[in-house]
Every structure is written in C-alpha cells, then in structure tokens.
Amino acid sequence: MATIQQFGVDVMPVEDRLVLKLNASGQPTLRFWITRRFLSMFWQALTGELRKSVADAKSPAARDFLLDMAETRLTAKSDFATAFEERAAPPGTQTAPLPATQTATPPAGAPMAPPRLLWGFNIQRKPDGQTAIVLIAVDNARIDLGLADDGVFGLMRILRDAAEKAEWGLPLAWGAGLPGAGAPAPGSDAKRRLN
C-alpha cells in the first residue's frame, strides 16, 4: 500500500469532472479523473463502511452524530491550507502508478502524466481501525491506500468541498443514500410511498 503524504482535488469545469491528486513518498503525483457518478457511489460505500465502526449506536441518527463528531475532531488536526505540491515524473520514466524504482527528484517544468479515469473501487474497514481503499482506473491501473481515520475524513472533506464547488448537487452527508438512512422509525405513523 502506498504511504500517501498529500491529497488534493481540482475542479475541472470544462470536463465536468474532478481530478484527485495523490502524492506518495518519492513518487510523481498520481492523478485520477472522478466523475459525478463515481463520487456518488464511492461516497455511499465509504460512509457505509465508516458507519459500521459505530454500529453499536442505537439509531442511524446516533451513528451519524458520532461520525460528525469524529470528523470534526480529526479534520481539526489536518492541514488544508498548504498548497498541493505537483510532482512530475522525470523524463523517460514510465507513468504507471507507484513504480518501485522511482526515486529521482523530477526536474522543474517536466510534464505531468495525464489523469486516469476511475471506474471502480474496493473499500474495507480493518479491525485495527485502518480503512483499505483500492481505486481502479479504466486501464486497470490501481492504487492501494491504507488510511487512518484522519486521512479518510480529510479525503472526504476535500471531495465534498470540490463537489460543492463543481455544483454537482450530491447529498454528501453521513448516511446520504444509504439503505435505512431516511427510513421512518419502526412503529412510527409515517406513511410509505411507493412510486
């Protein structure tokens, strides 16, 4: 798994996409296109995994409250003010994600590798509290991330901020779009609409 040092997200209005940028130690910047559809599915899966970590809460609202509190506490430790450092690959090197032998410092002005379009992911919450995220691009390039909670919440914050800036209108909140997130409590008098 890559040791990620820095995340960044740019809004690309002409393409109507986001560019997720990742810096790992000693590697050029990895760049991935994120579509609105991908982000919606990724958000639902990621929040679903995080909600499992507070499964002992008595209700979905209580789980969401606990996750809100954790997000507030952990993102307060994160640095959102430092500008993202773009790292180009040295001339003549392959631009596949995280080549094992890449250690040279890229020369100033070297071209950036084009972003890869993300189409798939796998998210798994580990017993040690880490979240394993695998991002898969259309050319089957993949990046494996192992993130502690502060990294997960930091990633979620920059994705949410970028989606708002892109005016995508996605409900990126805890429980948004999850089964049972907006369901009436058992025994309530709320009417069910099927249409």
Side-chain angles (χ1 to χ4, degrees), residues 6 11 28 102 165 176:
Q6 193 176 28
V11 176
Q102 180 63 45
K165 185 175 177 184

Side-chain angles (χ1 to χ4, degrees), residues 90-104:
T93 60
Q94 189 176 2
T95 59
L98 300 178
T101 59
Q102 180 63 45
T103 57

Side-chain angles (χ1 to χ4, degrees), residues 5-191:
Q5 297 174 320
Q6 193 176 28
F7 294 114
V9 177
D10 289 335
V11 176
M12 307 303 279
V14 173
E15 291 86 354
D16 195 26
R17 296 179 183 174
L18 306 178
V19 176
L20 172 64
K21 304 180 295 185
L22 306 171
N23 279 340
S25 54
Q27 304 298 327
T29 298
L30 301 174
R31 298 160 29 114
F32 298 95
W33 287 118
I34 294 179
T35 63
R36 184 179 187 277
R37 181 176 181 273
F38 178 90
L39 181 57
S40 177
M41 292 186 309
F42 181 73
W43 190 272
Q44 288 179 27
L46 187 54
T47 56
E49 282 298 310
L50 289 173
R51 288 181 75 168
K52 290 178 188 176
S53 68
V54 288
D56 57 340
K58 299 199 184 296
S59 70
R63 284 193 294 271
D64 296 346
F65 175 76
L66 291 173
L67 289 170
D68 264 343
M69 295 297 291
E71 179 183 25
T72 301
R73 179 175 47 84
L74 291 169
T75 55
K77 299 177 184 178
S78 300
D79 176 10
F80 295 102
T82 302
F84 188 85
E85 174 195 343
E86 297 280 352
R87 299 178 190 163
T93 60
Q94 189 176 2
T95 59
L98 300 178
T101 59
Q102 180 63 45
T103 57
T105 303
M112 296 300 297
R116 291 180 161 95
L117 179 64
L118 292 177
W119 70 269
F121 57 85
N122 189 349
I123 302 170
Q124 184 179 15
R125 190 87 169 141
K126 301 288 185 180
D128 65 359
Q130 292 272 333
T131 301
I133 300 173
V134 179
L135 299 174
I136 306 166
V138 292
D139 61 356
N140 288 326
R142 53 184 274 158
I143 181 82
D144 297 300
L145 307 171
L147 300 176
D149 284 345
D150 58 341
V152 173
F153 288 121
L155 175 62
M156 293 176 77
R157 177 176 165 179
I158 64 171
L159 287 172
R160 184 183 322 134
D161 291 350
E164 287 174 9
K165 185 175 177 184
E167 299 177 352
W168 280 357
L170 292 174
L172 301 183
W174 295 111
L178 291 172
S188 74
D189 295 327
K191 292 185 179 182

